[in-house]
Amino acid sequence: MSLKQIRYFIAAAESGQISHAAVELNVSQSAVTGAIQQLEGILGVRLFDRHPSGVSPTPEGHRFLLHGRNVLAALEEAMRVSRSSASTASGTVRVGVTYTVAGYFLPRHQARFARTFPAVTLDLYEASRSVIEQALIDGALDVAVMLVSNLEAADKLESEVLIRSRRRLWTPADHPLLKKDTLGLADVAEHPYVMLTVDEASHTAGRYWSRSGHKPDVIFRTSSVEAVRSMVAAGMGITVLSDMVFRPWSLEGQRIETRVLADEIPSMDVGLAWRRDATMSPATRCFRDFLSLAFHGGGGNHPST
């Protein structure tokens, strides 16, 4: 049994819907469903009743929810006591962030870090990947939270993946592609396409579209995720984007649906990056280990790109 499984179960129980839990956790619905199924297999009981409007805990699920909350509370307390007694980290950490990370990933983790380590100040600098990479190499930044799947200076930078966000097809609720059992980029190419350009999204898309032998019928390019969301929901086009930026409703209140594509499409990997030969200050190491623990249940494993 893993802490991740417990976290996913609690999120589903509290939201009442697998899709809402997945959005909150920045993972795919299949990841949440799989974690719950694994838990049910380990425990030998059914934890949820499934119904059209979502899920609700069974009696066994309610009991496990109480224990699961206690487990996470005990972990948080252990981390707090350990840090307050053993960590004397203080100072300022210069953190580079890319646009997507700043908008859809970092804020809630930054808030938790500030509560846990009030003596450490995070100076955030938003910039493009290339600017952040050069700033890390030059020593102008201590660490970055960015799309490490796009890193180019792998010979000079080390990185650690925190989450891998799956890319899926986005369509309006009544789109004809939703009626098909299996979908691929060949099907997507037959319909108007809205291309996101921020954080090199269009370059990444270009690579996997090129491998497929097909070409999207791009009707509009934009750096705004919200513009893409609104246009897709309104039926102006479809797109392929990651689960991390997915929300099931547009700002106008129109529904967006997602489907997995059969083609091999890379995930969008969010993680940490720092200069390979850098000597980290206690405050910087504290921030890096904090995020590592949040996603992997422990620090010390920092693979290079």
Side-chain angles (χ1 to χ4, degrees), residues 42-196:
I42 292 169
L43 298 171
V45 297
R46 193 176 78 257
L47 296 175
F48 285 113
D49 286 324
R50 277 76 172 174
H51 44 79
S53 61
V55 295
S56 58
T58 62
E60 294 81 3
H62 277 293
R63 286 192 288 271
F64 187 75
L65 179 60
L66 174 62
H67 292 301
R69 285 171 172 160
N70 288 339
V71 167
L72 294 190
L75 175 63
E76 290 289 339
E77 178 64 12
M79 291 166 58
R80 185 191 67 79
V81 171
S82 175
R83 286 167 175 159
S84 63
S85 61
S87 175
T88 57
S90 63
T92 298
V93 184
R94 300 166 300 172
V95 184
V97 293
T98 47
Y99 307 117
T100 305
V101 167
Y104 294 91
F105 177 81
L106 187 60
R108 68 179 182 278
H109 302 297
Q110 178 189 358
R112 284 185 59 234
F113 180 82
R115 291 193 299 269
T116 308
F117 295 97
V120 178
T121 300
L122 299 182
D123 275 355
L124 302 181
Y125 300 89
E126 183 183 77
S128 65
R129 174 204 50 80
S130 59
V131 170
I132 288 176
E133 286 193 35
Q134 192 59 52
L136 288 171
I137 294 169
D138 294 342
L141 290 174
D142 301 309
V143 67
V145 188
M146 59 192 297
L147 305 185
V148 294
S149 46
N150 292 346
L151 275 180
E152 289 192 354
D155 58 328
K156 298 178 181 178
L157 300 175
E158 292 195 35
S159 67
E160 176 188 0
V161 175
L162 297 175
I163 65 167
R164 299 185 187 277
S165 183
R166 188 175 195 175
R167 288 184 169 95
R168 293 188 289 175
L169 173 67
W170 294 15
T171 77
D174 57 352
H175 200 275
L177 285 181
L178 297 176
K179 299 177 182 178
K180 301 192 67 170
D181 294 330
T182 304
L183 291 171
L185 290 175
D187 302 298
V188 176
E190 298 176 358
H191 299 269
Y193 193 93
V194 183
M195 179 68 77
L196 182 69

Side-chain angles (χ1 to χ4, degrees), residues 167-172 175 177 185 188 191-197 201 205 208-209 216 218 220 222 225 227-233 236-242 245-246 256-259 261 265:
R167 288 184 169 95
R168 293 188 289 175
L169 173 67
W170 294 15
T171 77
H175 200 275
L177 285 181
L185 290 175
V188 176
H191 299 269
Y193 193 93
V194 183
M195 179 68 77
L196 182 69
T197 59
Y208 63 74
W209 272 102
V218 179
F220 188 65
T222 177
V225 176
V228 174
R229 198 188 321 280
S230 292
M231 294 181 74
V232 169
M236 299 175 66
I238 58 180
T239 195
V240 177
L241 286 178
S242 81
V245 300
F246 175 73
I256 299 171
E257 299 288 343
T258 63
R259 291 292 185 272
L261 295 172
I265 297 176

